[in-house]
Amino acid sequence: MNLHRSVLFASLVAVSALSVIPVSPARAAAADNLSGDAVPGVCMLSREAVFAQAKIGQAANQRLTQLTQQARDQLVNQRKPIDADIQAFEQKAPSLTEAQRKEQGAALQQRMQAFQAQAGELDQRVQLTRGKAMERIGQQAQPLVADAYKNHRCGLLLNRDAVLSGNTSNDLTAEVVQGLDRKITTITFNLEQLPAGARNQATP
């Protein structure tokens, strides 16, 4: 009896999906090279570039990669005995009675569902951890953004990643990155625990 190999495949996909979401670089200006005069008071900032280029952001990504790999290894080790039991069940299934096949198949299915739930929970914990790390970095960067905003006499701050093209002379990103590197370069954290409500939702 083939015990829903598609379920096993889905679980492996969930394990593989436990990866750090990379911080994407700022989008390049449009190929038509539109430019023009700087607009007084209009400034730009790429938060994604700050997280990607600042040393503290790179340290956070490194730590997240480490935590993610540990979570993936844990799931792989827990899957191995389930996989072995499924193979053993399928080999002996022809010699079992219908009742025995149903009983043992249901037990294996239950174990697989529990494994899937744990894989989903770990994935949520990785994403929660990343969000909190980025929030901490954002708190460190905020005073630097405020100072740069004031020093450049900005009256409006735009997300640089949403700007298609134009004069970027009032881009505060590099200044904020340099300020962060002078202020703090390291960060440490562990994998976050899910809130009770979210944990219950992750478990079927």
Side-chain angles (χ1 to χ4, degrees):
M1 176 182 176
N2 190 314
L3 185 68
H4 300 294
R5 284 194 180 275
S6 60
V7 174
L8 177 59
F9 176 77
S11 298
L12 292 177
V13 171
V15 174
S16 301
L18 280 176
S19 60
V20 178
I21 300 175
V23 180
S24 62
R27 293 187 299 179
D32 56 12
N33 198 28
L34 296 174
S35 185
D37 297 333
V39 180
V42 176
C43 300
M44 288 171 283
L45 176 74
S46 171
R47 293 185 63 195
E48 290 187 348
V50 170
F51 293 147
Q53 296 170 14
K55 292 179 181 178
I56 187 174
Q58 295 169 2
N61 271 331
Q62 183 177 5
R63 177 58 174 161
L64 280 165
T65 299
Q66 180 185 36
L67 292 174
T68 300
Q69 185 60 52
Q70 291 174 355
R72 182 185 292 116
D73 292 344
Q74 177 185 345
L75 286 174
V76 168
N77 289 334
Q78 291 179 354
R79 182 189 60 81
K80 287 179 180 178
I82 300 176
D83 193 19
D85 288 346
I86 288 175
Q87 292 180 359
F89 170 74
E90 291 177 347
Q91 290 174 358
K92 69 181 181 180
S95 63
L96 299 176
T97 65
E98 182 65 23
Q100 289 173 328
R101 283 196 295 269
K102 287 183 178 180
E103 180 181 1
Q104 295 181 29
L108 286 170
Q109 179 70 32
Q110 189 173 31
R111 288 172 61 189
M112 181 58 71
Q113 289 174 345
F115 171 78
Q116 283 185 292
Q118 187 169 11
E121 181 177 325
L122 279 171
D123 187 37
Q124 291 181 52
R125 290 177 64 191
V126 167
Q127 301 310 319
L128 177 62
T129 303
R130 180 183 186 275
K132 294 210 170 185
M134 295 302 100
E135 182 180 356
R136 287 172 59 185
I137 296 173
Q139 290 171 350
Q140 294 289 335
Q142 185 57 38
L144 302 172
V145 174
D147 287 344
Y149 184 91
K150 180 179 178 180
N151 293 337
H152 286 263
R153 300 181 181 276
C154 303
L156 179 66
L157 184 62
L158 300 178
N159 177 9
R160 190 186 76 184
D161 302 313
V163 175
L164 294 178
S165 190
N167 190 309
T168 60
S169 58
N170 284 335
D171 184 357
L172 309 183
T173 305
E175 186 173 333
V176 173
V177 169
Q178 292 169 5
L180 263 179
D181 286 348
R182 289 192 297 267
K183 181 180 181 181
I184 186 170
T185 59
T186 61
I187 185 172
T188 183
F189 48 83
N190 294 316
L191 204 59
E192 293 284 339
Q193 295 292 336
L194 291 180
R199 190 181 301 114
N200 292 336
Q201 291 177 4
T203 305

